[in-house]
């Protein structure tokens, strides 16, 4: 009897502490730490997924407008697209994930001052990267596009489009830095709404600047680039206004620059950038294998089919961006099991989402391929790719989602290793398959196996607690723990709820 009374006496104050803590904590942070995981994740994800679909659709619409200018303009835009897409993935997904992760972990640990300081450090990092990318493509653009096969009219169109787009590259990096800082607080709606404003403005602005109307001159393919830069500037302005308002949980704060803050962002962002480069290199080298084995028509078929894989990236990003905040906040608060549970639930949702695209594509490949061309060789190659690789898209979605979750945890060793394994299997195994059989079908089968290995390897690592083993090994080696940055910042009192699991 006395034991029961004692247990009751202990539990009542714990509940009181939790209820006292809740009003002192921002409601959005409280929801990340204590609300049911799946409804919270889906509620944060739907605005992101919606805006990613809108962005992908708008990209196709802009390509259609440019195609009205002729084959050279379309080819020139195609030469620029891989570099611009890679830059978007690096600024929003890789480095942006590092920004969101650092801010989420700081807020989860109650280090509000550090979270504010991290915003200013993030703007500096992305501003410098943006200037570097602009210089790279503005100076070396002609050599890069010639190496990709650009010549004559297509090269001229590429340089016109590239000159405008990459001159505005710093705006893209800064806009994504601000958006990532806001996402790190768990607010997905404001960045999504701002991007939607830019997307809907781009739809009429792009043809207006391309073809001209009234006093607006026709700029041709350069007008498409100008439309992208103008809408990016507008989106960034809307996001900056919110970030500086009292409604924002974090605001840029002028403070002494500290390497520890830069390192907290870069240790996630730089490794994430390597992962992004692995994905891009895998597709590029596989395209080269297809071209060597079967010629340009087969390359067109593979490229059109594999474009679906690229479309999965923004869709899964819509789910992964809130997962960075959810996992990072719980890691910062010491809630390891809740963070792990969130990662696995998010991975399951991403698997189902990607399979919902991959399986229909494998069953009815012509529904997608015939939207772009009717060449028999192109359709045959594209259909062979989708039938072999489409059913494995779920594993790509799973692995990509767990990559975002690992960004939130600040632990990217296993995503890096899994990406390397995928690249080696796809390129090395694909080359061997072609060497032994000469068949594209076996090459595509190898690509599917590589995706299965990528997703399965990451799932096994995360589910087994690899994040926490990495952290414990870092502590044993004497490395500083990232959540200790800015030890002088204010911290709330810990409670049973704040330190518990899900």
């Amino acid at each position: 009897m006395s034991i029961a009374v004692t247990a009751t006496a202990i539990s009542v104050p714990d509940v009181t502490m939790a209820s006292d803590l809740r009003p002192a904590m921002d409601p959005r942070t409280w929801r990340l730490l204590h609300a049911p995981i799946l409804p919270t994740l889906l509620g944060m994800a739907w605005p992101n997924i919606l805006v990613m679909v809108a962005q992908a659709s708008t990209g196709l619409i802009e390509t259609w407008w440019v195609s009205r200018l002729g084959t050279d303009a379309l080819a020139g835009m195609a030469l620029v697209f891989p570099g611009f897409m890679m830059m978007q993935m690096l600024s929003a997904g890789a480095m942006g994930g590092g920004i969101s992760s650092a801010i989420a972990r700081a807020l989860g640990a109650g280090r509000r001052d550090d979270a504010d300081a991290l915003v200013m450090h993030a703007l500096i990092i992305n501003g410098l990267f943006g200037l570097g990318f602009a210089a790279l493509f503005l100076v070396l653009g002609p050599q890069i596009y010639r190496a990709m096969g650009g010549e004559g009219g297509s090269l001229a169109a590429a340089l016109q489009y590239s000159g405008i787009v990459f001159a505005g590259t710093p705006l893209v990096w800064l806009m994504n830095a601000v958006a990532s800082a806001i996402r790190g607080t768990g607010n997905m709606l404001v960045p999504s709404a701002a991007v939607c404003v830019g997307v809907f403005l781009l739809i009429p602005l792009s043809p207006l600047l391309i073809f001209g109307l009234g006093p607006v001159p026709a700029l041709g393919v350069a007008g498409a680039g100008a439309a992208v830069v103008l809408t990016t500037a507008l989106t960034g302005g809307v996001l900056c206004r919110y970030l500086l308002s009292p409604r924002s949980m974090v605001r840029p704060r002028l403070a002494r620059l500290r390497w520890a803050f830069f390192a907290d962002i870069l240790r996630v962002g730089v490794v994430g950038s390597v992962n992004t480069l692995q994905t891009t290199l895998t597709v590029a080298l596989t395209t080269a294998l297809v071209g060597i084995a079967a010629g340009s028509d087969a390359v067109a078929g593979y490229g059109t089919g594999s474009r679906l894989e690229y479309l999965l990236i923004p869709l899964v990003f819509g789910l992964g961006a809130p997962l960075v905040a959810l996992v990072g906040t719980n890691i910062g608060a010491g809630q390891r099991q809740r963070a792990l549970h969130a990662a696995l639930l998010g991975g399951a949702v991403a698997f189902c989402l990607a399979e919902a695209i991959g399986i229909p594509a494998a069953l009815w490949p012509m529904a997608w391929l015939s939207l772009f061309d009717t060449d028999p060789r192109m359709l045959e190659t594209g259909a062979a790719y989708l039938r072999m690789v489409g059913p494995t898209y779920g594993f790509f979605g799973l692995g990509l989602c767990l990559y975002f979750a690992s960004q939130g945890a600040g632990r990217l060793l296993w995503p890096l290793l899994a990406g390397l394994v995928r690249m080696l299997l796809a390129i090395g195994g694909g080359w061997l398959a072609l060497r032994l059989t000469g068949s594209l079908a076996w090459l595509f089968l190898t690509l599917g196996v590589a995706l299965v290995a990528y997703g399965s390897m990451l799932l096994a690592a995360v589910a087994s607690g690899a994040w926490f083993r990495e952290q414990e090994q870092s502590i044993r080696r004497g490395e500083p723990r990232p959540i200790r940055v800015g030890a002088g910042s204010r911290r709330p009192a810990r409670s049973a709820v704040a330190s518990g699991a899900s």
Side-chain angles (χ1 to χ4, degrees), residues 304-324:
T304 303
S306 63
R307 186 173 296 182
L308 265 181
E309 183 179 324
Y310 266 107
L311 288 178
L312 289 178
I313 294 174
L315 285 177
V316 177
F317 175 78
L319 183 68
L323 198 59
V324 172

Side-chain angles (χ1 to χ4, degrees), residues 396-412:
F396 180 62
L398 169 65
L400 190 59
C401 192
L402 292 178
Y403 155 72
F404 284 115
S406 298
Q407 280 189 320
R411 301 293 164 186
L412 284 175

Side-chain angles (χ1 to χ4, degrees), residues 19-359:
S19 63
D20 288 344
L21 176 64
R22 179 174 176 177
M25 182 183 294
D26 185 274
R28 191 176 293 117
T29 303
W30 188 93
R31 183 163 60 107
L32 292 173
L33 291 174
H34 306 302
I37 292 174
L38 188 58
T40 301
L41 179 60
L42 295 179
M44 294 164 64
W46 75 260
N48 269 7
I49 293 176
L50 182 64
V51 77
M52 291 301 123
V53 171
Q55 278 187 312
S57 302
T58 304
L60 294 175
I61 292 170
E62 186 184 30
T63 301
W64 188 84
W65 283 120
V66 171
S67 71
R68 304 300 95 186
L69 296 173
T71 303
D72 282 342
L74 188 61
M77 189 174 179
L79 290 172
V80 179
F81 179 76
F84 187 75
M85 184 67 180
M86 181 180 68
M87 183 268 297
Q88 286 273 32
M89 291 166 61
L90 290 173
S91 62
M95 204 60 64
I99 294 167
S100 295
S101 172
I103 290 174
R105 284 182 277 112
L107 291 173
R111 297 181 289 111
R112 178 66 177 271
D113 289 344
D114 287 355
D116 289 343
L118 282 165
V119 177
M120 182 57 67
H121 287 71
L123 291 172
I124 292 172
I125 289 172
N126 270 29
L128 292 175
F129 272 105
L131 291 172
F133 257 84
L136 173 67
F137 280 91
L138 290 176
V139 174
L140 300 180
Q143 294 90 326
I144 293 173
Y145 304 137
R146 284 193 188 96
M148 295 173 66
E151 58 182 7
S154 66
L155 179 60
L159 293 176
Q160 289 179 44
Y161 183 73
S162 175
I164 300 294
V165 165
F166 283 107
T169 287
L171 293 176
V172 176
W173 280 83
L174 289 172
M175 184 268 288
N176 281 323
V178 177
S180 299
I182 297 171
R183 289 190 185 105
T185 69
N187 186 337
M188 306 295 145
L189 188 58
V190 167
S192 297
V195 171
C196 276
V197 170
V199 165
F200 287 122
L201 180 62
L202 184 64
I203 293 174
L205 187 61
S206 187
L208 174 65
L209 296 180
I210 291 171
F211 303 109
L213 180 66
V216 179
L219 301 176
V221 69
V228 170
V229 173
L230 287 174
T231 52
T232 298
L234 175 66
T235 304
V238 171
L239 290 172
C240 285
R241 182 175 180 179
Y242 175 83
L243 188 68
L244 296 172
S245 74
R247 291 173 295 167
S248 176
M249 281 181 62
V250 293
R251 282 181 289 279
R253 180 169 60 86
L254 292 176
R256 182 172 59 89
L257 297 180
R258 299 179 56 185
W259 170 245
F261 290 116
F262 286 121
D264 206 23
I265 295 171
L266 290 172
R267 70 186 184 85
V268 175
V270 170
V271 178
S273 298
V274 174
N275 193 279
T276 298
L277 293 174
Q278 283 178 338
T279 300
T280 304
L281 188 61
T282 299
V283 174
L285 292 179
T286 305
T287 302
L289 286 177
V290 172
I292 292 170
S296 60
D297 290 341
V299 168
Y302 168 69
T304 303
S306 63
R307 186 173 296 182
L308 265 181
E309 183 179 324
Y310 266 107
L311 288 178
L312 289 178
I313 294 174
L315 285 177
V316 177
F317 175 78
L319 183 68
L323 198 59
V324 172
L326 186 56
V327 170
T329 304
N330 280 279
I331 289 288
Q335 299 187 164
R336 289 183 169 189
Q337 289 306 311
R338 180 176 169 86
L340 182 58
H341 190 196
L344 297 179
L345 278 176
V349 173
F351 180 90
C352 295
L353 180 65
E355 282 293 275
I357 294 173
I359 290 178

